[in-house]
Amino acid sequence: MSIVPPGRRPAPGRRVALVTLGCGRNEADSEEMAGRLAADGWEVVTGDVKSADADVALVNTCGFVEAAKKDSIDTVLQAADLKGAGRTRAVVAVGCLAERYGETLAAELPEADAVLGFDDYEDISARLGAILDGEVHVPHAPRDRRRLLPLAPADRQAPPAPSSAPVLDAPDLPEHLPPASGPRPVRRRLSDGPAAPLKIASGCDRRCTFCAIPTFRGSFVSRPPAEVLAEARWLSGHGVRELVLVSENSTSYGKDLGDLRLLESLLPELAAVDGVDRVRVSYLQPAEMRPGLVEVMTSTEGVAPYFDMSFQHASGQVLRRMRRFGDTERFLELVGRIRSASPGAGIRSNVIVGFPGESEEDLAELERFLTQARLDAVGVFGYSDEDGTEAEGLDGKLPQDVVRDRVDRVSRLADELVSQRAEDRVGETVDVLVESVTGDVVEGRAAHQAPEVDGTCTVHGLPAGDRVVGRIVRARVVGNDGADLVTSVR
C-alpha cells in the first residue's frame, strides 16, 4: 500500500517502507509518523520488509517481551540484507526497543543505520532525510522517562507547543487551517480496514515489578477529550467503523485532567460519532475498574461490552510480589459483576507463570481462577527477567525448564477453557463487523473479539449484496473451532 498526499509529489529519493511490530499503540505511532512523512512529500509504503521497494526501511520495534525483541531485531536484520541488493539505502529502528536501549542497541546492532527515540518522531522527516544524505545520527542515551514530568498527575498537562500543530490531508492553504471541529490529527492510515486504534493516553504510573514499560513510555498523560473526539471523527471519515481505544492503562484516563471518571463520559460521545458503529476499550486495570465504568461499558449503545483486563495472576502472594492488587475471589467477583450486567460480555486477560517465588499452590490457585472465570481469551506468558525491573533482583527464581513446563500446562488449560467458552455461545446472536470477503467466505469479529487477539467469526449464508467490508451483520452462532466462531445468517 502506497500513501502520497493529494496534489503533492514525493521528493526525489524520498520513499520509506514502514514496518510495524507490536501492539495497537505502536500502530497509532506508525500512523502518526506516516502522517508527518507524507505531509513532507515522502511516499510511504507498507507491507513485508522483504518485498518493500523503498530508500529507507523504517522498523517500528516492540520491546515488551523477549520474543518481541527478537522479532524486532530479526526484522531489522532482514531489512539490512536488502541494502546493496535493491533500492534500500538505509535501515532505521524506532519504537519501544529503540527508545528503551538507544545507544546500546545502536552499538550492538550496527546493521541499523540509525536508532531513533520517541523524541525524534516530531521531526521524523528531517531525521530520515539527513540519514539518506549521509549524516551520522548520534543515538540517544536511555533515560527513565517518568522523571521528565511532575510526580503529581494534575501538574502534567501543558498547552501544546507550536511544533505539535497537526498535519493535514491536503496541501492547499484552506486545508491548513484548523477546522471548526478541532485540530486534525497528525496521522495517515496505513490500512483500509474498518477498525483502527485510537490513542487516548500514553505512559503509566503503576510500578509492577516485572514491567519496564513506564521507564521508556513515561508517566501517564491523557489526551484531551476534544482531541480524541476530533481524531475519532477523522477516522470515521476515513472508513473506520470500530474504534479501538488504546493506552498503557485506559482506566486511568482523565486523572491528570482532574476527572477520574472522564472515560465514562467520553465513551458515549465517541459512540455517537457519525459513522462509528462500535467503540472498544483495551488495556484496563482490574484494580481500577469502577462500578460506573462497568455500567457504561455494558449499557451504552455502540460501546462493546468488552473487558481487556490483565489479571496477570490470581494468587494473592504472587500478585503482591508483582506489586499488584487482588486475588481469585476479588477477580471472580468482578467477572461476576460484569456478566450480571451483560451475560455475553467478552473478557480477556494475560497471565504470567513462573514468577519468582511462585509455588505449586500458587499455580493451582491461578488454574482455579481460570477454570471458574471462563474467560473468552487468555494469553499465557512465562516469566523472564526484564532489564532494570524490580523483579530482576527478586529471590526465588525458577529454573527455565520449570517455567516452560508451567507455561505448557496453563496454556493447555486455557485453550480448553476458551474453547468451552466459545462453545457456550452456540445459539447466541452476535453482531459481526465484516473485515474481509473472499468469494463467498466472509470473515469478521463479534463484539467480544478484538482485532488479532480474540478469534474471529466466519459468516455463512450472507447474500452477495451484503458482503461488504465495514458492514455489521447479525448472525447466529452455530459452531466453533477454539475461540473462532462459525455463524450463519439463516
Side-chain angles (χ1 to χ4, degrees), residues 104-378:
T104 301
L105 181 65
E108 296 182 358
L109 194 63
E111 292 84 356
D113 295 276
V115 172
L116 305 183
F118 294 153
D119 292 337
D120 293 305
Y121 287 11
E122 192 171 288
D123 296 317
I124 189 67
S125 175
R127 297 288 187 273
L128 298 190
I131 292 164
L132 278 182
D133 290 340
E135 295 184 22
V136 177
H137 176 78
V138 178
H140 65 282
R143 53 184 170 170
D144 188 339
R145 295 187 70 91
R146 293 172 297 185
R147 301 179 183 276
L148 302 181
L149 291 172
L151 183 63
D155 295 335
R156 294 175 190 164
Q157 294 291 332
S163 60
S164 66
V167 174
L168 310 181
D169 287 331
D172 51 292
L173 184 59
E175 288 296 322
H176 278 273
L177 301 177
S181 60
R184 294 179 187 269
V186 184
R187 185 164 183 170
R188 281 269 166 180
R189 291 216 67 201
L190 296 176
S191 76
D192 55 4
L198 174 56
K199 187 182 292 187
I200 62 171
S202 61
C204 183
D205 287 340
R206 303 191 72 87
R207 295 295 183 265
C208 302
T209 59
F210 56 83
C211 184
I213 289 175
T215 62
F216 58 86
R217 279 287 183 180
S219 298
F220 186 88
V221 178
S222 304
R223 294 181 68 191
E227 187 176 309
V228 175
L229 286 164
E231 187 163 343
R233 288 189 285 268
W234 182 88
L235 287 168
S236 174
H238 285 72
V240 173
R241 296 295 167 258
E242 178 177 310
L243 303 173
V244 183
L245 307 189
V246 297
S247 71
E248 277 70 33
N249 178 8
S250 296
T251 35
S252 284
Y253 179 73
K255 72 174 187 178
D256 52 322
L257 298 173
D259 187 350
L260 287 170
R261 292 172 174 77
L262 193 55
L263 186 58
E264 286 93 312
S265 57
L266 177 63
L267 286 173
E269 292 186 78
L270 288 170
V273 170
D274 187 37
V276 171
D277 294 316
R278 182 183 290 163
V279 179
R280 182 184 306 279
V281 187
S282 297
Y283 309 110
L284 300 166
Q285 278 287 344
E288 297 180 28
M289 286 300 300
R290 308 172 288 275
L293 181 56
V294 172
E295 180 181 359
V296 168
M297 292 178 63
T298 55
S299 64
T300 305
E301 183 177 358
V303 175
Y306 173 80
F307 295 80
D308 172 19
M309 300 184 291
S310 291
F311 292 113
Q312 302 297 4
H313 213 281
S315 162
Q317 183 270 140
V318 173
L319 287 165
R320 299 306 171 269
R321 296 201 97 198
M322 290 179 170
R323 291 200 187 279
R324 294 178 68 87
F325 304 93
D327 53 35
T328 295
E329 302 311 322
R330 294 182 191 180
F331 291 163
L332 289 176
E333 189 277 331
L334 175 56
V335 169
R337 191 184 340 143
I338 291 169
R339 291 197 172 134
S340 293
S342 177
I347 306 176
R348 83 168 324 274
S349 189
N350 295 321
V351 297
I352 298 173
V353 299
F355 191 79
E358 181 190 64
S359 66
E360 279 289 341
E361 291 75 16
D362 294 324
L363 192 66
E365 186 68 4
L366 173 59
E367 293 173 321
R368 182 172 80 89
F369 165 69
L370 293 175
T371 301
Q372 295 187 33
R374 300 178 70 81
L375 306 178
D376 292 271
V378 181

Side-chain angles (χ1 to χ4, degrees), residues 20-31 60 62 187 196-199 217 244-248 282-283 451-453:
T20 304
L21 306 172
C23 65
R25 290 160 292 190
N26 261 17
E27 292 179 31
D29 287 347
S30 284
E31 294 199 346
N60 191 352
C62 177
R187 185 164 183 170
L198 174 56
K199 187 182 292 187
R217 279 287 183 180
V244 183
L245 307 189
V246 297
S247 71
E248 277 70 33
S282 297
Y283 309 110
E452 300 181 3
V453 293

Side-chain angles (χ1 to χ4, degrees), residues 419-438:
S419 183
Q420 290 175 7
R421 172 65 176 159
E423 188 175 348
D424 289 344
R425 291 187 181 274
V426 172
E428 287 184 8
T429 298
V430 293
D431 291 325
V432 181
L433 174 67
V434 176
E435 293 191 301
S436 69
V437 178
T438 306

